[in-house]
Each structure stands twice: as structure tokens, then as C-alpha cells.
Amino acid sequence: MFDTAAGDPFGIDRFPVGCIATDDTRVIRFANAHAAIQLDRAQDDLLGLGIETLLTPASRIFCDSYVLPILLTKGHCDEVLLTVETGSGTRAPVVVSAWVHGDRPGFVFWSFMRADKRDKLQTEVLASRNLLQKQARSLKELAARDDLTGLMNRREFTRMIAPFSAAANRAAASVVILLLDIDRFKAVNDTYGHLAGDDVLRQLGGAFAPLVGSNELAARYGGEEFIFAVTATNAEAASHFVCRLHKAAASVTGSGAPITVSIGLYCWPPQSGESFKSAVKAADRALYEAKALGRNRTMMMDADGTLVPFG
């Protein structure tokens, strides 16, 4: 069966795949020309070698523990990735399939192909996938951020408030909603131009961002309006955060005039069943009152609807 003296009527030497046949002692009895090329060995030198001598130690263990048991039970083992040691001393990945000869148990036909390009392709695919994942994360981040202030946009804030309030509820805490509006912002735009107005928004975003920790959310809600959510046991517990907002606004320069802000506050207990929309409406009423009373202040709406100064 392995005698090639009669020639090569089927052109096995010309097959663009390595072909090896081993006997029941795993000794190579036949190797075609392409096997010699891929293994970088003379064709005649392969004959008489144990097939395990072609494998790296790790692949030899894998062959003994997986490939050969599969061959004994199923009669074939398809597309296994092994590593061979070539005649030049290098290591090369190969994809191997093996079949037990039906008439002569113990005799195995092996076919293999070098997988150098496959490994390179896999590396390139992984690199491309990682790049696409990175780009997807960047796009997601861009979609969630206001490009001027760097804070969340209104859509992302609205999406995040549900899990945020749920976490507060589990902690038996409330969510303090704060609506912040830049005082006399129209005058800044009219007097100094919209570029100056954009710069104020940009600076405010940069000043507010460091104040936001794991217990707060912040977003540009629209125009010159910002919204914040603070986890707190009660409204008074958020007083320090409110003071920091006023102080951060006062640090903004470049508009030609001091920047002040008005804030409307409402303490929203998620466990009460009240909606986020209702909580924002209450904070908005408090903000309107802060504006009406002269700006640069914070007003709070109590649970009973009473508007009172805060801080």
C-alpha cells in the first residue's frame, strides 16, 4: 500500500497539501513531495521517522491525549491545529486531519497544510475586531456626550436616570434633582458674541465635571441649562454639592462679566412612585422662582409644593 516504486499514478506528489502515512507503530511509511516542502526536509529522510518526532513537545502531548484517542474511537480527526519542527529548526503551525485506514487498523493517513498565513490572518482579524470595538466604544461615547461641555447629553441622562434612581431606591436614599441655568446668558451672547457664549458653556462643563462622582449624574439639558442628580438621604445632604456648583460657576472667566447661576432643587424619593418627569417639573418650578427672586441663588420645592430658599 505504501510502496511508491510503481510510480505515482494519482499524482499525490503534486497535491498542494502534505500527505503522510504511518503504520501501526506510528512510523512514517509514505510522504509526498509537498510534505517534504512544508516540513523543510528531504522526502526520503521522512521515511522511517516516528511522526511524534515532527511535533513540538506541546503538540506531541496534545496528539497523544486527544488526536490518537479520537482516531481510535471515531476513525478520523479533522482540522486540528498542531505545531511542527521543520528541518531548518523553526516551528510552524499546521492544520492536520487524519483517517484510520479501513482495512488495516493502526495505519493512518495524515494530511496537513501550513497555517502561517492563517495565524497571520487571525491576528489581523483580531486586530481589526479590536479596532472596530474601540471605534464602536468611541462612537457610543460621542453619542452620549454633549460635544461642547463634555458632559452627558439630555438623551443619555434620561437613559441613565432609571438605573441611577433604582440604585438609590435599593439604598433607601432619595435622588435630588437640580436644574441649573446660567444667569443672563442671552446678554453674554448679545454683547460678546456666540463664540464667547460657547466658551462659557465649555468652561462650565470643565468646571462641573470634577464635581461629579459615582453618586452624581450631570448633563447639559439644553441651551444654557444643566441638570444634576445626586444620591442623598435628604435634600440638606446635597447642600455641599450645591455650594460647589455655585463656586465652580464663579470660577468661569472670559465672558467679560462674572458668571452666576440659578438652581432649582427637588428631592425625589423614587420609592414614592413619582415619575422622573414630575420631579424635573418640580425642580423647574423652583428654578423659575430663583430667577424671579433675583438670580444667583438656589430655591427648593418641598414635597408639599412650597418653594423655599436653599442653602
Side-chain angles (χ1 to χ4, degrees), residues 15-32:
F15 281 10
V17 61
C19 296
I20 285 176
T22 57
D23 61 18
D24 52 4
T25 63
R26 303 186 199 173
V27 171
I28 298 173
R29 296 304 181 187
F30 170 80
N32 72 342

Side-chain angles (χ1 to χ4, degrees), residues 187-189 191-193 196-197 199-200 203 252-259:
V188 174
N189 283 328
T191 304
Y192 303 103
D199 186 54
V200 168
Q203 288 191 60
V252 172
T253 61
S255 64
I259 293 297

Side-chain angles (χ1 to χ4, degrees), residues 59-71:
S59 287
R60 196 177 305 145
I61 293 171
F62 183 73
C63 187
D64 288 340
S65 61
Y66 178 78
V67 177
L68 293 175
I70 290 291
L71 285 174

Side-chain angles (χ1 to χ4, degrees), residues 249-295:
S251 71
V252 172
T253 61
S255 64
I259 293 297
T260 62
V261 296
S262 297
I263 301 174
L265 180 151
Y266 179 71
C267 188
W268 172 42
Q271 60 271 23
S272 68
E274 184 179 7
S275 69
F276 169 64
K277 183 177 180 180
S278 175
V280 172
K281 186 176 180 180
D284 191 46
R285 286 181 60 192
L287 172 61
Y288 183 84
E289 185 70 8
K291 290 282 191 180
L293 291 176
R295 302 178 176 86

Side-chain angles (χ1 to χ4, degrees), residues 213-227:
S214 59
N215 291 323
E216 295 89 31
L217 295 178
R220 183 185 179 191
Y221 209 52
E224 66 269 28
E225 199 168 64
F226 295 79
I227 189 169

